[in-house]
Structures are given as C-alpha cells and as structure tokens.
C-alpha cells in the first residue's frame, strides 16, 4: 500500500464506519480489509505525519456529516464513524501529547447517582470522541464525590451529566453545588442532558448548557471554543 | 414469473373443521330445500337437463323457475372446478397464480362506485391569530368519469402492493351509454395498467367486443386463453337464493368462453340473510355453490373464484357495513369454506363506513385488512380507496392503503430463526457485552440497508403536525407523473378500427394528444 492509498483508505473507512478489520461497515466489498484502527497503525509505521492522518479522519467525518444531513445516513452510521475516529484518536493521543499538539479538550461524562440509564450518555460520548474531544466516561450511577474527585485530579475542561429520571435529575444540582463548595466551579463547564431535563432546568441549577442530543453538544462545545479564542 | 403477493405462513382460522363441515352440510340442504328461484330460462334449462328438479312458477310478468340442486351435481362441480386459477396480465410478470389450498394473498382494488372523491387543500387562518395559517384537506364528491377510471388505473399500476385492478368507478360521462360503457371501461383500464383487469359487464351484447379487444391485446384467441388478461365478476345469485336473469345469462356466456370469473354473492346479514353467523354462512355458501355448479355444468373445468362479499347491515341506514367487525368475521369464514373446497377465494376487506379519509376510515380499513389477510384469501378485493359503505372511491385513500399493505406484507415475512442466525448473533452478543458502550450499532448498518427492517410510516410529517394527507397527495401526484406503458400504437389502431363505441379521446396516439 502506498502512502496515498493508506490516506485514501483511511478516509473511506471513516465514511464506512469500519473501526477494525472485523467490522462489516456498509459496503460488503470492504469486509475483511483493514479498518480505521489498522490503517492508523500502518500510517504511523510508514511515518505518515500526524497532520495528514488527522486530516484524512476529519475529511471522512465531514463526508459522514454531509450524508447525515442529506438523510442518506442515519444515526447508527454517524455513531459507527465517530467510534472509528475516536479509536484512532486514542492511538494518536500519546504522540499528540509528545508533539505538544492540543486536543479540543477533555470531557468527563457521567450518569448521575441513582440513575442507570446510559444509552444516551454513551452515544454522546462516542460522538464527542469522534469530534476530537478526549472523553472520560465515568459510568452510570456515579456518586457525586467520585465526580468531584475526578475533576480535582484530572481537571477536565467539561463535565457532562446525564439523568433520565425526574427523581435523579436533582442530583445534577447537587453536583453543581458540590463543585462550588470545592472551589471547582470556574474550572469546568457543565453540560446536562437526558429526557428528564430541559433548558429551564439547566438555568435553574446553574449549569452552563442543556443539550437535546450529542449533535447539539458538539455545537455548544464549538461555541465555547470560539468564545475562548476570541 | 407471476407476482408474489404474500404467502401467509400460518393462516388464521376462526371456525373449526367441524363447523366448516356443518356449514357445508347445511348449504347442501338449502340447495334442495328451499332450493333457488331462477329468473334465467337458460340456467333453468341447463339445470333441468342435468337432472336437477326444476319447476316453472306461473307468473304474469317475470317467468321464473324453482330449482332444487341435488348434492351429486354440487359435488361433481366442486371436483371439476380448477383448483389453480391463473389471471393473466398485459405484462406477463404481473400474472396472478392462485391455488385454492395455498394461502397466498393478492391485493386488488374494487369496485365500481358512482362517486369519485376529489381532494384539495385550502388554507385556513386562525381567528385569534391571523398570522397562523394551516392547510386542511377538503373532500368533494362528484360523479365519476372515464378520465377518473384512467387516472386510477394509472396510479394503481404504480402502487407497489396492488396486484390486480378491478375497475374502481362507474363511468358516467354524458357520452357514455349502456351500449358503449363496457368497451370504454375495459379499454380505459387495460390501456393504463399492465396488471390483471377484472370487471363486471353492463351488457351481455358487449361481451364479444370486450373479449375481442382482449384477444387483440393478448395476441389472439389462444394467447388470451394462455394469458387471460381480463376476467369477470358476476353476482349471478341475488340474496336470498335467486338467480338473476341478466347476470346469470352473462355468467353462462363467460363460462362458455372459458374466461375466469368470480362467482360472487353479497348477502347482507339482517336484511337479505339471517343476522346469525350460522345462517348467513349457510346461505352465502349455498349461493356460491349454486353458481359454481351452474358454471361447471356450462363448461367443465372453466376457471372460477369462490366469490364472497358477505356484509353486516348498518342498523341506522341498512347500508352494507363493511366497517363492522362482523363483516370481517363472515369474510374469514368464507375464506375457510373456499379453502375446504380448494377453490381460490375472492374475498373482501378495506372498505369503510366512513365517508371521507380520516381517522375512522383508517381504523376501520386497517382492522379488516389485517384480520382478513391473516386468514389467507387468494384474491382480496375492494382493498384500495373505497369509502362510505362502498359508495365512494378516493384515489388519495388508495395511496394511503398501499402503505397499510406494505406494513401487513412486512409483518407476514417468515421468521428468520435458524441455527446459523443464532450462532452468528450469539457471537455478536459475546462481542458487544465486552465493549464499554454495549451497543449493537456496529451490526445494524448492512441490515438497515438490506430491506430487512421495516421503513418508518411513509407519510410522517415533521414535528408535531399531522401531514399524512398532504404527503400522500404529493405521492399520488408523483405516481400520476410517472409514465405508464400504454397499449402499443398498432394494436391501439386495430382496436379502434374493430371495436365499435370507443370514445376517440381515449386514443393516446390521436393527433393533438
Ligand atoms: C431504555 C430505558 C430504560 C432502560 C435503560 C437501558 C440503558 N442501558 O440505558 C431500562 C429498562 C434499564 C430502564 C430502567 C428504568 N427506567 Co427507563 N427508560 C428507558 C427509555 C424507554 C429510553 C431511554 C433511552 O435510552 N433513550 C434513547 C436515548 C438515545 O435518548 P436519551 O437517553 O434521552 O439521550 C439523548 C439525549 O437526551 C441527550 N443526552 C442524554 N444524556 C445526556 C448528557 C449530556 C451531557 C448531553 C450533552 C446530552 C445528553 O443525548 C442523547 C443522545 O441523543 C425512557 C423513555 C424515554 N422516552 O426517554 C425510559 C424512562 C426514562 N425510564 C423511566 C423509568 C421510570 C425507569 C425505571 C425507574 C423503571 C423501574 N421502575 O424500574 C428504571 C430506572 C432504574 C434506575 N435507577 O435508573 C421513566 C422515567 C420517568 C421519570 N420518573 O422521570 C421513562 C421516561 C419512561 C416512562 N415514560 O416512564 N429504562
């Protein structure tokens, strides 16, 4: 495989949402051929630059976004591609750090204490990882203390909280109060989501944003980034 | 390759084998006592010469006969009637092959209503806030024309689930007369669909013109026998138990020509049949058996369908309540009787009592469409666009009904559970539970595109508005804009030369068209 081949295939496999060689993707012709993970490793072996690899991943993801907007692709397609890109970024992470390249930011996400719903939270995590964020998934039914501890230690830029129950959404307010009490509130932006909550609720508890879904979360985060740079 | 229709894996049965036997026995007894009244001299003679007991009844105005049909004649007819019937089509891929003991369902339109329902979407402004406007469908009934018949055949050609075309409306243009109605309705329909065409006949004298037209299209007498692109509906027995003069004569002539025909009876429980299920069943079955017996006596092995259109009476108007639950029960009972005789069944579902498309019409028709289909009739007619107890046809409704049948057909796909599938998916299960997200999304994308999963309802609008009618209307116009394969110019020219009474405006190749 030439370098150009690797780059072209990387992009194509992002579009196909094929994380590994085993993934079926959409086009049956590709089955059994290397997926994004194998191609990323191969690209590094062949000493293709980090920039070129990331450009290929981003270009693939852009096509996926277009296909989704034009209704050719559905959410599962978007997720598969995002997952593939997320996995590639995981491989590139140590190299990016060594090269002092900044990621878009660290995002910690958790379903709050008392709540075990995680489908929505997982989708958001996959999408954000695919969009270039470094995502730490703390799991479900996460006690507030554990969240605070994590933030103290790892200093993520963002904290995402998910709650699907009216009985557990109050826990989000508890987390925000605890952040204040520990003097961490200014260090992290809090995004909340889940069927139980709303924009008004977010404002009420002092969260920075409410997001209906993962796509909105990407937009909101981008707007935060812009605000930061301007 | 004929059309596939949908094969019902385990047809639903309402009545037991014992009840089927009981109905059969009761019908045989009815055919002897009280027997039938017959207003057709030809039929009376045929029955008499074959050993039935026939007695003339003295009557000043309408001569008629009292006929008792012995069991032996019925049993022989049931033996002779073909157990497989082929309905051909201009496009041979649209042929329908019906086996009396195979529950493969074909979905067919119907049924010669007088009224055609137009729809448009005027804009309404909210009284308390004039900035808010909505478009509301309005339905306008009017007398149907030959142009409507062409339009509906055109749309039906493109409705995916629709397997055959029964003329939808009765053409009532000013230049349509009793004498030219048959040729025009056959030509209008055949010229706009390549699917099978079935119709009743208005005038016996027109039969040979219509058959000749079909021969020209099919490519000759023999070709028409091989590929019967047309068939007939004959309600020769009027309930209760009377052979009608003209339809019976038409039926006899159709049988003589060996063309397929639906031997149909439509008793109304409460008025022209007993209100009790046992009673209407014994009677309708006797009526259909009487027709089948006559047909087989006329022409042994002539193809025919066991035609059942049993309905419940609406107590407020005494109209045919197709929307009633009982109507579906009777229809399913008839499906079982026909299957017992192994003769393909012409059954009924989808007609509603509601006067216009809307919630009531959707509920009534979807209910009967589902339950009657599940019982596995071979030829399910009246299934598209019929409203108001079968008095009104609406093309928009036919487009909506196509979506219903897509769902029903999807539902009836055979379950895909086998060792290989289980082994493959168990592997998936083991893999997915190992991942942090525990989602099966990686395995659905090829399936999503393979047609293996059902599509969302096709007329779903955005947000909280209900746009079903507007979107179905858009679909209807898209289908009308799609071309149809007309009869070729040469054959058309021959037809217009040979067949008298055709309206020149139906010739699509005429100059200026
Ligand atoms: C699936 C489901 C379950 C599954 C969860 C499986 C799993 N792995 O998560 C099971 C069966 C386990 C379950 C259990 C229960 N459930 Co439940 N469940 C649901 C259901 C049907 C769908 C949730 C879902 O996954 N949606 C799909 C995902 C994609 O959407 P989503 O979660 O909303 O996430 C999207 C957005 O909201 C947003 N988002 C979500 N979180 C976040 C976070 C951030 C940071 C951001 C940016 C965005 C974001 O992005 C996501 C992607 O687009 C909902 C009904 C509903 N309509 O929500 C009920 C529902 C949430 N459940 C309900 C209930 C009552 C329960 C139980 C208490 C039932 C019981 N008696 O045991 C238990 C809860 C136990 C507990 N302690 O948590 C109720 C809650 C009512 C209430 N009081 O508020 C609901 C609303 C159903 C109902 N109408 O009654 N449930």
């Amino acid at each position: 495989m030439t370098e150009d081949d690797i780059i072209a295939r990387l992009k194509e496999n992002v579009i196909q949402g094929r994380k590994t060689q085993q993934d079926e993707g959409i086009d049956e012709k590709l089955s059994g051929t290397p997926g994004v993970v194998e191609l990323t490793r191969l690209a590094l072996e062949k000493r293709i630059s980090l920039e070129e690899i990331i450009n290929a991943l981003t270009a693939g993801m852009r096509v996926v976004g277009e296909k989704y907007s034009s209704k050719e692709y559905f959410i599962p397609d978007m997720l598969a591609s995002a997952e593939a890109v997320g996995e590639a970024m995981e491989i590139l992470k140590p190299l990016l750090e060594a090269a002092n390249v900044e990621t878009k930011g660290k995002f910690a996400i958790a379903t709050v204490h008392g709540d075990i719903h995680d489908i929505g939270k997982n989708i958001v995590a996959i999408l954000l990882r695919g969009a270039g964020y470094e995502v730490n998934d703390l799991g479900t039914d996460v006690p507030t203390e554990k969240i605070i501890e994590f933030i103290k230690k790892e200093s993520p830029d963002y904290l995402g909280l998910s709650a699907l129950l009216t009985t557990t959404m109050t826990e989000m307010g508890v987390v925000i109060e605890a952040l204040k009490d520990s003097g961490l509130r200014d260090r992290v932006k809090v995004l909340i989501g889940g069927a139980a909550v709303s924009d008004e609720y977010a404002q009420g508890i002092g969260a920075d944003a409410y997001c209906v879904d993962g796509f909105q979360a990407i937009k909101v985060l981008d707007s935060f980034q812009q605000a930061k740079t301007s | 390759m004929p059309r596939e229709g949908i094969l019902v894996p385990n047809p639903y049965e309402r009545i037991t084998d014992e009840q089927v036997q009981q109905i059969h026995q009761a019908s045989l007894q009815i055919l002897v006592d009280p027997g039938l009244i017959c207003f057709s001299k030809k039929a009376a003679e045929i029955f008499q010469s074959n050993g039935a007991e026939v007695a003339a009844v003295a009557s000043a105005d309408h001569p008629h006969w009292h006929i008792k049909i012995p069991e032996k004649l019925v049993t022989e007819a049931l033996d002779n009637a073909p157990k497989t019937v082929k309905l051909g089509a201009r496009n041979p891929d649209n042929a329908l092959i019906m086996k009396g003991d195979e529950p493969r369902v074909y979905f067919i339109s119907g049924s010669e209503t007088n009224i055609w329902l137009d729809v448009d979407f005027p804009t309404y402004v909210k009284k308390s806030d004039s900035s808010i406007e909505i478009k509301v469908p309005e339905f306008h009934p009017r007398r149907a024309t030959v142009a409507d018949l062409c339009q509906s055949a055109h749309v039906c050609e493109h409705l995916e689930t629709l397997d055959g075309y029964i003329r939808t409306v009765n053409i009532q243009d000013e230049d349509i007369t009793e004498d030219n109605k048959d040729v025009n309705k056959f030509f209008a329909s055949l010229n706009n669909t390549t699917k099978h065409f079935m119709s009743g006949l208005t005038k016996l004298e027109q039969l040979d013109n219509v058959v000749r037209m079909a021969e020209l299209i099919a490519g000759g007498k023999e070709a028409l026998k091989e590929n019967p692109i047309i068939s007939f509906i004959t309600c020769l027995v009027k309930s209760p138990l009377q052979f009608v003069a003209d339809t019976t004569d038409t039926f006899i002539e159709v049988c003589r020509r060996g063309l397929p025909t639906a031997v149909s009876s439509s008793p109304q429980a409460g008025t022209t049949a007993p209100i009790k299920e046992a009673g209407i069943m014994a009677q309708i079955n006797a009526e259909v058996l009487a027709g089948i017996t006559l047909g087989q006596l006329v022409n042994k092995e002539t193809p025919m369908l066991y035609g059942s259109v049993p309905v419940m009476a609406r107590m407020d108007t005494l109209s045919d309540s197709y929307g009633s639950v009982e109507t579906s029960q009777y229809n399913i009972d008839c499906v079982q009787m026909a299957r017992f005789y192994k003769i393909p069944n012409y059954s009924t579902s989808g007609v509603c009592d509601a006067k216009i498309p809307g919630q009531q019409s959707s509920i009534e028709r979807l209910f009967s469409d589902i339950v009657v289909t599940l019982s596995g009739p071979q030829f399910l007619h009246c299934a598209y666009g019929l409203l108001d107890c079968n008095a009104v046809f609406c093309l928009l409704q036919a487009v909506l009904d196509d979506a219903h049948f897509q769902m029903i057909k999807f539902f009836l796909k055979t379950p895909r559970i086998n060792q290989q599938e289980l082994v493959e998916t168990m592997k998936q299960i083991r893999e997915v539970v190992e991942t942090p997200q525990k989602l099966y999304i990686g395995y659905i994308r090829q399936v999503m595109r393979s047609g293996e999963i059902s599509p969302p309802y096709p007329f779903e609008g955005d947000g909280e508005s209900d746009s079903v009618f507007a979107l179905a209307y858009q679909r209807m116009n898209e289908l009308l804009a799609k071309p149809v394969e007309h009869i070729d110019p040469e054959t058309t020219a021959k037809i217009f030369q040979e067949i008298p009474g055709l309206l020149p405006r139906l010739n699509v190749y005429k100059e200026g068209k």
Side-chain angles (χ1 to χ4, degrees), chain A residues 109 114-121 123-124 160-162 164-166 191-195 211-214 217:
Chain A
I109 190 165
D115 201 322
I116 58 153
H117 292 88
D118 68 356
I119 299 175
K121 179 208 69 176
I123 289 176
V124 174
L161 297 173
S162 183
L164 274 273
L165 303 168
T166 46
L191 280 69
I192 67 166
C211 303
V212 273
D213 57 24

Side-chain angles (χ1 to χ4, degrees), chain A residues 176 192 197-210:
Chain A
I176 290 178
I192 67 166
V197 298
S198 65
D199 233 338
E200 280 163 20
Y201 186 73
Q203 282 169 26
I205 61 169
D208 294 288
Y210 156 76

